[in-house]
Amino acid sequence: MTDQPTVIPVTAAGPYDVVVGHGVLDRLRGLLPAGVQRVAIITPESLEDLLEPFADLLEGLDVVVLQVPDGEEAKNWEVAAACWESLGEEGFTRSDAVVTLGGGATTDLGGFVAATWLRGVAVVHVPTTVLAMVDAAVGGKTGINTPAGKNLVGSFHEPAGVLCDLALLETLPRAEVVAGLGEVVKCGFIADPRILELVEETEPDALTPDSPVLRELVERAIRVKADVVAGDLKETGGVDGHPGREVLNYGHTLAHAIEKATDYSIRHGEAVALGCVYVAELAARAGGLSPELVARHRAAFGRVGLPTTWNGADFDTLLATMRVDKKARGNQLRFVVLEDLARPVVLAGPSEDDLRSAYAAISGGAA
Ligand code: MG
């Protein structure tokens, strides 16, 4: 099945297009800058099966394949250095390009390699997970992890284009598709309530890779991210009380603490679902968010199959992690919360009582 692709323009320092559709990989060449002669495909070993047909799309160009480890294992300086070495051996110049094919860890690493080689060469991202389509591939954040923490070394480097082919999701485990919907539903609460209606109207099992509703959800979430990023390219803040790019971190402060407490065994989207329910509970206490909207958080995340209760760590452990979260300024905790649907604001320095009681509400009382 091949449909007409949707083209979502992103107004960044260097504007680019995100192309979304089903069976649209033939659009890859059109996203590469004119004059590119050589392409390095950065892709994890687990996607080997996709590689040959994918490389065929670039027939006529010099293609180098840089296979990297799966997932977060790729996001470290040793793997980045191995990629730089290969680009050096191949004599990559500024008119050559990197193409990433993989999930969010691959786009983060590949984007970082592209950002740093010769102080920046073009990169086109071809994300293969829902999470990477709606989050990692758009917005220009690149990075690697260090022993001190995740994403502490990196750079803003906007891609030349992003190609989201939903057909690539067909071999993705269902739990990964569901986890990606965590960021999508988040976008529904912070900016686009139509996303919530679509989730509420659709049988969750019908959200398969060939579903037009899944495609619309992905497109809407990308538009939310593209709009936010265009308004706040380097995360310096928004205007008129809007939190700016920080809004994308809705639910992420607790989510990061939960990820750390589970040694990153929980999926990011699952942790985000828990974190969003948590900040809704927090906003109900600190800012008067309505009980109906809090309940809608539980219902929407729960409906797509994401967790809304969790008690895998005690609150003091999570609080200690949240205090060192890079979004904290000084020692005051900051959260993006809603004052109403699609009306995000920053809540700075909530009381420890409110923080603790909101956690009791998602953990079944374990505070
Ligand atoms: Mg995220």
Side-chain angles (χ1 to χ4, degrees), residues 181 184-189 192-207 213-214 216-217 220 291-305 338 341:
L181 292 174
V184 174
V185 173
K186 175 203 80 179
C187 289
F189 282 105
D192 181 4
R194 180 67 191 137
I195 287 175
L196 303 179
E197 292 168 8
L198 286 167
V199 163
E200 287 156 359
E201 288 163 5
T202 310
E203 264 318 305
D205 289 348
L207 295 174
V213 182
L214 183 68
E216 184 175 354
L217 288 171
R220 283 182 176 273
E292 292 74 24
L293 258 181
V294 178
R296 199 172 182 190
H297 279 71
R298 281 204 173 77
F301 287 105
R303 183 168 169 84
V304 297
L338 297 185
L341 189 55

Side-chain angles (χ1 to χ4, degrees), residues 12-312:
Y16 58 96
D17 287 339
V18 181
V19 176
V20 187
H22 194 279
V24 292
L25 282 182
D26 59 347
R27 293 295 180 114
L28 176 62
R29 289 189 86 116
L31 291 173
L32 289 169
V36 166
Q37 309 253 308
R38 261 173 305 193
V39 170
I41 301 173
I42 297 185
T43 187
E45 284 145 8
S46 60
L47 294 183
E48 180 125 38
D49 290 353
L50 290 179
L51 203 50
E52 212 183 287
F54 190 76
D56 284 350
L57 298 166
L58 299 168
E59 218 193 316
L61 301 177
D62 279 343
V63 176
V64 187
V65 176
L66 308 183
Q67 278 188 320
V68 296
D70 290 327
E72 293 287 314
E73 294 296 306
K75 285 180 62 175
N76 59 63
W77 69 268
E78 285 107 330
V79 175
C83 291
W84 291 322
E85 204 172 307
S86 299
L87 296 179
E89 279 164 10
E90 300 291 338
F92 255 60
T93 69
R94 252 200 207 129
S95 59
D96 300 321
V98 169
V99 171
T100 66
L101 174 70
T106 305
T107 60
D108 281 1
L109 167 82
F112 179 67
V113 168
T116 45
W117 184 252
L118 302 177
R119 299 191 183 88
V121 298
V123 61
V124 172
H125 295 306
V126 184
T128 57
T129 65
V130 175
L131 183 65
M133 288 179 184
V134 302
D135 199 9
V138 180
K141 279 193 181 180
T142 76
I144 56 175
N145 305 327
T146 70
K150 288 183 52 157
N151 298 320
L152 291 178
V153 173
S155 161
F156 284 99
H157 184 59
E158 299 285 352
V162 180
L163 182 56
C164 299
D165 187 341
L166 284 103
L168 292 172
L169 303 176
E170 265 150 26
T171 53
L172 196 65
R174 181 70 194 160
E176 292 293 332
V177 175
V178 168
L181 292 174
E183 296 279 3
V184 174
V185 173
K186 175 203 80 179
C187 289
F189 282 105
I190 60 173
D192 181 4
R194 180 67 191 137
I195 287 175
L196 303 179
E197 292 168 8
L198 286 167
V199 163
E200 287 156 359
E201 288 163 5
T202 310
E203 264 318 305
D205 289 348
L207 295 174
T208 51
D210 59 349
S211 145
V213 182
L214 183 68
R215 176 170 164 178
E216 184 175 354
L217 288 171
V218 166
E219 289 177 5
R220 283 182 176 273
I222 291 170
R223 284 185 208 278
V224 168
K225 180 147 191 190
D227 286 351
V228 169
V229 167
D232 183 13
L233 288 180
K234 299 229 161 156
E235 211 163 30
T236 46
V239 289
D240 295 335
H242 189 280
R245 192 155 168 158
E246 194 177 1
V247 73
L248 298 168
N249 258 43
Y250 187 61
H252 278 57
T253 307
L254 184 74
H256 290 151
I258 290 176
E259 288 179 294
K260 185 153 187 255
T262 63
D263 217 1
Y264 300 93
S265 62
I266 192 168
R267 291 183 178 84
H268 180 63
E270 295 167 350
V272 167
L274 293 164
C276 289
V277 176
Y278 175 74
V279 282
E281 289 285 0
L282 183 63
R285 286 157 177 77
L289 186 69
S290 74
E292 292 74 24
L293 258 181
V294 178
R296 199 172 182 190
H297 279 71
R298 281 204 173 77
F301 287 105
R303 183 168 169 84
V304 297
L306 289 166
T308 56
T309 60
W310 188 80
N311 60 6

